[in-house]
Amino acid sequence: MMSEAEIKEFARNIKATGQFIDESATELSQIGNLNEARNELMREIKNISSKLTNLESNVTSIKTEFTEMKTDITQIKSEFTEMKADITQIKSEFTEMKADITQIKSEIPEMKFQIDLNFIQSEENTNKRLFNSLLCLTQDSKIAWIQMGYDVMPEMPKNLYSLRNAHRNQITVICHYYKIPPSESLIGDKQAIAEFVGVQNIRTHH
């Protein structure tokens, strides 16, 4: 039989064991809480890692879009520069065109004057040819000489007699003035000049 003292000691041991079990249970419970906290932390870490991966992907996408945007801006700047060059060229050509129009407008009065003068001169020369064909009948008949534009008229024979007796140099000058190719025949050149101004035939006159 156990003595009273041994029973009390045994009871104390049982009690101490119970306390140890309780304390161990508490610690185990705390360890379980720690494990739960650890698991929660791991889940958060995975979540954050996933978000970081998504963020990195978004950053890469943004960088790509930004690069494309820079390329587009460079292209736009290049096209704008070309457009400015085209506009400058158009302005230059427009300025030249305006200058040409101004020049033409300034020349119109002179052109009109020249046309009028040519018309008057043409009509006058027609009348001179008619005069020569009808009235240059004798050696003393004066010849109405044709004026060729603004060209200075050389010294001309006054009448048919002077034309028939003109020397080669004078006849050559007159041929050049009337753009008649000189020939080897002096009398032939004289006849060509006479026909040009309307005199029918210098050989038949006396």
Side-chain angles (χ1 to χ4, degrees):
M1 292 272 314
M2 294 178 62
S3 63
E4 185 178 351
E6 288 175 343
I7 292 172
K8 288 182 179 180
E9 181 65 25
F10 180 76
R12 282 194 297 269
N13 290 335
I14 293 298
K15 185 178 181 181
T17 301
Q19 290 177 349
F20 175 77
I21 292 173
D22 290 339
E23 291 175 358
S24 297
T26 300
E27 290 177 357
L28 288 173
S29 176
Q30 291 176 350
I31 290 173
N33 290 336
L34 287 174
N35 286 333
E36 182 65 28
R38 177 179 174 278
N39 293 335
E40 181 66 24
L41 180 60
M42 291 299 295
R43 285 194 293 271
E44 288 295 327
I45 289 173
K46 288 182 179 180
N47 189 27
I48 292 172
S49 177
S50 176
K51 290 181 178 179
L52 287 175
T53 301
N54 292 335
L55 180 61
E56 183 179 4
S57 176
N58 291 336
V59 169
T60 302
S61 177
I62 290 172
K63 286 175 64 178
T64 300
E65 292 177 0
F66 183 73
T67 301
E68 293 175 355
M69 187 184 302
K70 286 179 63 179
T71 302
D72 291 341
I73 291 173
T74 302
Q75 179 68 22
I76 291 171
K77 288 175 65 177
S78 175
E79 293 176 357
F80 183 72
T81 301
E82 292 177 0
M83 186 167 57
K84 285 179 64 180
D86 291 341
I87 291 174
T88 301
Q89 179 67 23
I90 291 171
K91 289 175 64 178
S92 175
E93 293 176 357
F94 183 73
T95 301
E96 292 178 1
M97 187 169 59
K98 285 181 63 179
D100 291 341
I101 292 174
T102 301
Q103 179 68 21
I104 292 172
K105 288 175 65 177
S106 68
E107 292 176 356
I108 286 176
E110 178 64 23
M111 292 170 61
K112 184 176 182 298
F113 172 77
Q114 182 63 43
I115 291 171
D116 292 342
L117 180 63
N118 290 341
F119 176 78
I120 293 172
Q121 191 176 82
S122 177
E123 186 176 10
E124 181 180 320
N125 290 339
T126 299
N127 291 334
K128 286 180 178 180
R129 285 189 173 95
L130 180 61
F131 173 86
N132 291 333
S133 66
L134 295 176
L135 300 178
C136 287
L137 303 176
T138 67
Q139 295 189 48
D140 295 331
S141 299
K142 291 184 177 182
I143 301 173
W145 291 104
I146 301 296
Q147 175 69 40
M148 298 296 290
Y150 289 106
D151 296 339
V152 178
M153 184 182 295
E155 182 179 355
M156 298 293 195
K158 294 181 180 179
N159 51 36
L160 287 177
Y161 176 81
S162 298
L163 176 60
R164 291 186 64 185
N165 292 281
H167 53 76
R168 161 53 71 186
N169 289 342
Q170 185 179 20
I171 292 300
T172 299
V173 171
I174 296 173
C175 282
H176 288 159
Y177 178 71
Y178 285 136
K179 296 179 175 56
I180 299 172
S183 68
E184 295 181 359
S185 172
L186 180 59
I187 188 64
D189 289 346
K190 291 177 180 179
Q191 182 61 42
I193 292 170
E195 291 176 356
F196 182 82
V197 297
V199 177
Q200 296 179 7
N201 192 340
I202 61 174
R203 297 177 183 179
T204 61
H205 298 289
H206 52 79

PDB file of all heavy atoms in Angstrom, residues 1 5-6 9 37 57 94 103 122 141 155 184:
ATOM      1  N   MET A   1       0.844  -1.180   0.000  1.00  0.00           N
ATOM      2  CA  MET A   1       0.000   0.000   0.000  1.00  0.00           C
ATOM      3  C   MET A   1       0.880   1.231   0.000  1.00  0.00           C
ATOM      4  O   MET A   1       1.950   1.271   0.627  1.00  0.00           O
ATOM      5  CB  MET A   1      -0.869   0.051   1.272  1.00  0.00           C
ATOM      6  CG  MET A   1      -1.897  -1.024   1.325  1.00  0.00           C
ATOM      7  SD  MET A   1      -3.481  -0.649   0.548  1.00  0.00           S
ATOM      8  CE  MET A   1      -3.892   0.922   1.082  1.00  0.00           C
ATOM      9  N   ALA A   5       2.041  10.015   1.949  1.00  0.00           N
ATOM     10  CA  ALA A   5       3.012  10.916   1.330  1.00  0.00           C
ATOM     11  C   ALA A   5       3.238  10.533  -0.120  1.00  0.00           C
ATOM     12  O   ALA A   5       3.336  11.376  -1.017  1.00  0.00           O
ATOM     13  CB  ALA A   5       4.323  10.885   2.128  1.00  0.00           C
ATOM     14  N   GLU A   6       3.289   9.217  -0.375  1.00  0.00           N
ATOM     15  CA  GLU A   6       3.518   8.765  -1.749  1.00  0.00           C
ATOM     16  C   GLU A   6       2.313   9.095  -2.636  1.00  0.00           C
ATOM     17  O   GLU A   6       2.473   9.447  -3.834  1.00  0.00           O
ATOM     18  CB  GLU A   6       3.756   7.246  -1.739  1.00  0.00           C
ATOM     19  CG  GLU A   6       5.097   6.870  -1.161  1.00  0.00           C
ATOM     20  CD  GLU A   6       5.275   5.361  -1.043  1.00  0.00           C
ATOM     21  OE1 GLU A   6       4.281   4.622  -1.102  1.00  0.00           O
ATOM     22  OE2 GLU A   6       6.458   4.929  -0.978  1.00  0.00           O
ATOM     23  N   GLU A   9       2.504  12.671  -3.444  1.00  0.00           N
ATOM     24  CA  GLU A   9       3.559  12.896  -4.466  1.00  0.00           C
ATOM     25  C   GLU A   9       3.075  12.454  -5.835  1.00  0.00           C
ATOM     26  O   GLU A   9       3.287  13.119  -6.843  1.00  0.00           O
ATOM     27  CB  GLU A   9       4.811  12.111  -4.042  1.00  0.00           C
ATOM     28  CG  GLU A   9       5.976  12.277  -4.990  1.00  0.00           C
ATOM     29  CD  GLU A   9       6.479  13.688  -5.027  1.00  0.00           C
ATOM     30  OE1 GLU A   9       6.296  14.459  -4.045  1.00  0.00           O
ATOM     31  OE2 GLU A   9       7.053  14.130  -6.073  1.00  0.00           O
ATOM     32  N   ALA A  37      -0.471  30.975 -40.237  1.00  0.00           N
ATOM     33  CA  ALA A  37       0.038  32.299 -40.610  1.00  0.00           C
ATOM     34  C   ALA A  37       1.071  32.170 -41.726  1.00  0.00           C
ATOM     35  O   ALA A  37       1.118  32.974 -42.674  1.00  0.00           O
ATOM     36  CB  ALA A  37       0.647  32.985 -39.382  1.00  0.00           C
ATOM     37  N   SER A  57       4.667  42.417 -67.129  1.00  0.00           N
ATOM     38  CA  SER A  57       4.115  42.245 -68.470  1.00  0.00           C
ATOM     39  C   SER A  57       3.503  43.544 -68.978  1.00  0.00           C
ATOM     40  O   SER A  57       3.679  43.927 -70.138  1.00  0.00           O
ATOM     41  CB  SER A  57       3.069  41.134 -68.455  1.00  0.00           C
ATOM     42  OG  SER A  57       2.456  40.998 -69.718  1.00  0.00           O
ATOM     43  N   PHE A  94       4.704  79.105-107.395  1.00  0.00           N
ATOM     44  CA  PHE A  94       3.614  80.072-107.509  1.00  0.00           C
ATOM     45  C   PHE A  94       4.172  81.484-107.696  1.00  0.00           C
ATOM     46  O   PHE A  94       3.653  82.266-108.494  1.00  0.00           O
ATOM     47  CB  PHE A  94       2.737  79.996-106.263  1.00  0.00           C
ATOM     48  CG  PHE A  94       1.535  80.903-106.307  1.00  0.00           C
ATOM     49  CD1 PHE A  94       0.454  80.605-107.116  1.00  0.00           C
ATOM     50  CD2 PHE A  94       1.492  82.053-105.541  1.00  0.00           C
ATOM     51  CE1 PHE A  94      -0.651  81.428-107.167  1.00  0.00           C
ATOM     52  CE2 PHE A  94       0.388  82.889-105.575  1.00  0.00           C
ATOM     53  CZ  PHE A  94      -0.685  82.573-106.386  1.00  0.00           C
ATOM     54  N   GLN A 103       5.099  89.442-116.087  1.00  0.00           N
ATOM     55  CA  GLN A 103       5.913  89.720-117.261  1.00  0.00           C
ATOM     56  C   GLN A 103       5.072  89.704-118.525  1.00  0.00           C
ATOM     57  O   GLN A 103       5.196  90.581-119.393  1.00  0.00           O
ATOM     58  CB  GLN A 103       7.047  88.686-117.361  1.00  0.00           C
ATOM     59  CG  GLN A 103       7.957  88.858-118.561  1.00  0.00           C
ATOM     60  CD  GLN A 103       8.790  90.115-118.487  1.00  0.00           C
ATOM     61  OE1 GLN A 103       8.996  90.664-117.405  1.00  0.00           O
ATOM     62  NE2 GLN A 103       9.257  90.588-119.635  1.00  0.00           N
ATOM     63  N   SER A 122       2.315  95.476-142.866  1.00  0.00           N
ATOM     64  CA  SER A 122       1.908  94.523-143.892  1.00  0.00           C
ATOM     65  C   SER A 122       0.970  95.185-144.893  1.00  0.00           C
ATOM     66  O   SER A 122       1.107  95.000-146.116  1.00  0.00           O
ATOM     67  CB  SER A 122       1.218  93.329-143.238  1.00  0.00           C
ATOM     68  OG  SER A 122       0.745  92.428-144.215  1.00  0.00           O
ATOM     69  N   SER A 141      10.837 105.936-163.047  1.00  0.00           N
ATOM     70  CA  SER A 141       9.808 105.693-162.035  1.00  0.00           C
ATOM     71  C   SER A 141      10.457 105.376-160.681  1.00  0.00           C
ATOM     72  O   SER A 141      11.371 104.543-160.598  1.00  0.00           O
ATOM     73  CB  SER A 141       8.899 104.533-162.450  1.00  0.00           C
ATOM     74  OG  SER A 141       8.237 104.833-163.658  1.00  0.00           O
ATOM     75  N   GLU A 155      20.850 101.537-148.168  1.00  0.00           N
ATOM     76  CA  GLU A 155      20.656 102.535-149.227  1.00  0.00           C
ATOM     77  C   GLU A 155      20.095 101.846-150.462  1.00  0.00           C
ATOM     78  O   GLU A 155      20.640 100.854-150.954  1.00  0.00           O
ATOM     79  CB  GLU A 155      21.989 103.207-149.561  1.00  0.00           C
ATOM     80  CG  GLU A 155      21.850 104.290-150.608  1.00  0.00           C
ATOM     81  CD  GLU A 155      23.180 104.968-150.929  1.00  0.00           C
ATOM     82  OE1 GLU A 155      24.175 104.645-150.251  1.00  0.00           O
ATOM     83  OE2 GLU A 155      23.210 105.787-151.863  1.00  0.00           O
ATOM     84  N   GLU A 184      24.672  83.708-158.680  1.00  0.00           N
ATOM     85  CA  GLU A 184      25.834  84.114-159.476  1.00  0.00           C
ATOM     86  C   GLU A 184      25.443  85.127-160.556  1.00  0.00           C
ATOM     87  O   GLU A 184      26.299  85.817-161.121  1.00  0.00           O
ATOM     88  CB  GLU A 184      26.473  82.886-160.125  1.00  0.00           C
ATOM     89  CG  GLU A 184      27.068  81.915-159.115  1.00  0.00           C
ATOM     90  CD  GLU A 184      27.721  80.724-159.797  1.00  0.00           C
ATOM     91  OE1 GLU A 184      27.670  80.669-161.053  1.00  0.00           O
ATOM     92  OE2 GLU A 184      28.274  79.872-159.087  1.00  0.00           O
TER      93      GLU A 184
END
